[in-house]
Amino acid sequence: MTTTAAPATAPFRFFDLHVVRTRRLGPSMVRITFGGARLPELLTGGRDQRVKLFFPREHQSVPVFDDQGDGWYAAWRVQDPAERSIMRTYTVRAQRQVPAPELDVDFALHGAEEGTSGPAGRWAANAVPGDRISILGPVVEDNGGVDFRPPQGTDWILLSGDETALPAIANILAWLTPGTKAKVWIEVGHAADRQELPTFADADITWLVREESDADRTIGVSPARAESRAWGRMLSAVRAAELPEGTPYAWIAGESGTVKALRRHLVKERGFDRRAVKFTGYWRRGASEEQLLAELTAAAQK
Ligand SMILES: Cc1cc2nc3c(=O)[nH]c(=O)nc-3n(C[C@H](O)[C@H](O)[C@H](O)COP(=O)(O)OP(=O)(O)OC[C@H]3O[C@@H](n4cnc5c(N)ncnc54)[C@H](O)[C@@H]3O)c2cc1C
């Protein structure tokens, strides 16, 4: 049997979106608000709801895509790589039906202004009202694109992530029931990237700011060394923490090396049940999402 790493389609559908407005949230993040004629049919499950966004290439004004329903992934893969739309994964930060159907996505710019980011980051940095993309989004609230699902009997929640995971962490915090104990670590580039995170949970939030960290002065430092320093910042913070008593559920996302190191710490050194640690690499240093998807697809076909 041949399998691929294609994300589950049903109950997902394609929607055409256009930019309604953009708002800078801080030095490293921009919120883009989208509208679309069929947007009321898209139903987010909240929390870490993932969606696929399809961007036009630089020489195009709309993403080139042939909506083949459930066969979309196979159709997308065989399209000319120089022409097919650029596919990236993002989180629905918010959805509203009134006063108009709108959907917000918060984009980390990761060097877009210095020209070092990928196409999605560049697109977001330059987006203006009217720009068009497509989205593969859910049409039922309880869908396979929501991973944050603490089981019955969970006593407290651990959340960790960088700015790419901040939209999901913000939504999870807003979703937690009043009084839920939560320990939260969020890494951002600059102090001004910190956001208000409304929650009824009993949340202890620690912000790790890269620009304030001596360990992040990477000039003259090899890429491997810089990488291990980056993992170290989050890992050291969690390792030094006193954690609550009781049964934990952990949700960790962000750069995949950091995510793996943290998961190992929680399972091997803290004794977390590995089934109670939901971990997702949201990006990997030095690899575009296309490269990661190609690796996953090749591994699934073996
Ligand atoms: C389930 C899921 C949900 C996600 N939700 C969000 C979200 O809501 N908001 C968001 O901003 N991102 C989110 N991401 C991460 C986003 O998909 C990646 O950052 C993606 O690689 C950006 O695409 P790009 O075209 O800008 O860069 P790519 O072309 O994919 O990569 C180009 C280069 O940039 C580097 N790079 C990619 N991302 C970063 C980064 N954040 N910091 C530094 N370097 C980076 C890569 O290592 C590579 O070297 C999510 C990812 C997943 C899997």
Side-chain angles (χ1 to χ4, degrees):
M1 192 179 76
T2 305
T3 57
T4 71
T9 306
F12 280 59
R13 294 285 175 270
F14 286 94
F15 300 86
D16 292 330
L17 300 182
H18 60 267
V19 175
V20 174
R21 60 185 173 278
T22 69
R23 179 159 78 89
R24 202 60 185 244
L25 301 174
S28 320
M29 298 284 285
V30 64
R31 173 164 300 160
I32 302 198
T33 298
F34 296 97
R38 289 177 41 239
L39 206 42
E41 294 167 35
L42 189 153
L43 294 176
T44 175
R47 293 162 279 169
D48 55 342
Q49 176 73 66
R50 69 177 71 203
V51 289
K52 293 281 176 201
L53 300 184
F54 297 84
F55 301 92
R57 295 191 173 266
E58 268 168 23
H59 62 281
Q60 300 162 341
S61 56
V62 288
V64 171
F65 195 78
D66 186 13
D67 176 1
Q68 302 263 346
D70 289 354
W72 70 269
Y73 184 61
W76 178 84
R77 281 186 68 207
V78 297
Q79 270 185 300
D80 177 358
E83 294 298 321
R84 74 179 174 206
S85 52
I86 296 159
M87 176 171 68
R88 295 287 183 267
T89 311
Y90 280 84
T91 305
V92 176
R93 178 64 178 87
Q95 187 184 15
R96 293 169 294 282
Q97 301 299 353
V98 286
E102 287 182 347
L103 182 126
D104 295 336
V105 178
D106 291 355
F107 291 79
L109 296 173
H110 70 92
E113 276 138 355
E114 296 84 52
T116 55
S117 88
R122 274 197 302 278
W123 181 91
N126 295 308
V128 293
D131 284 356
R132 291 165 64 183
I133 65 165
S134 296
I135 183 174
L136 179 64
V139 289
V140 296
E141 278 181 24
D142 190 8
N143 63 76
V146 176
D147 286 334
F148 182 83
R149 295 177 186 268
Q152 287 280 337
T154 299
D155 292 315
W156 66 277
I157 303 289
L158 185 150
L159 302 173
S160 149
D162 60 16
E163 46 273 81
T164 63
L166 181 50
I169 291 176
N171 288 346
I172 289 169
L173 283 169
W175 180 87
L176 289 175
T177 49
T180 304
K181 203 175 270 296
K183 294 280 282 182
V184 186
W185 285 268
I186 307 166
E187 184 183 319
V188 290
H190 305 272
D193 288 324
R194 291 174 296 184
Q195 298 179 10
E196 286 294 320
L197 298 175
T199 182
F200 291 113
D202 174 11
D204 172 18
I205 301 174
T206 304
W207 292 92
L208 304 170
V209 180
R210 286 191 293 276
E211 73 177 351
E212 288 171 0
S213 160
D214 278 342
D216 203 43
R217 296 210 179 109
T218 51
I219 296 165
V221 169
S222 73
R225 189 97 187 262
E227 188 163 322
S228 75
R229 282 179 178 184
W231 302 352
R233 191 179 310 106
M234 180 63 83
L235 191 57
S236 311
V238 177
R239 197 175 253 151
E242 200 174 311
L243 301 182
E245 296 289 316
T247 306
Y249 174 80
W251 181 98
I252 48 185
E255 200 284 318
S256 66
T258 309
V259 167
K260 276 190 211 144
L262 196 51
R263 175 182 181 257
R264 206 175 306 121
H265 165 66
L266 294 178
V267 173
K268 296 246 159 78
E269 294 169 29
R270 297 280 196 165
F272 280 38
D273 180 340
R274 62 180 63 243
R275 288 164 305 181
V277 181
K278 180 65 211 166
F279 65 105
T280 316
Y282 271 17
W283 60 281
R284 192 168 81 199
R285 209 171 295 279
S288 72
E289 190 170 328
E290 245 140 46
Q291 290 166 311
L292 297 178
L293 198 56
E295 279 178 23
L296 279 171
T297 303
Q301 281 171 340
K302 269 190 192 152

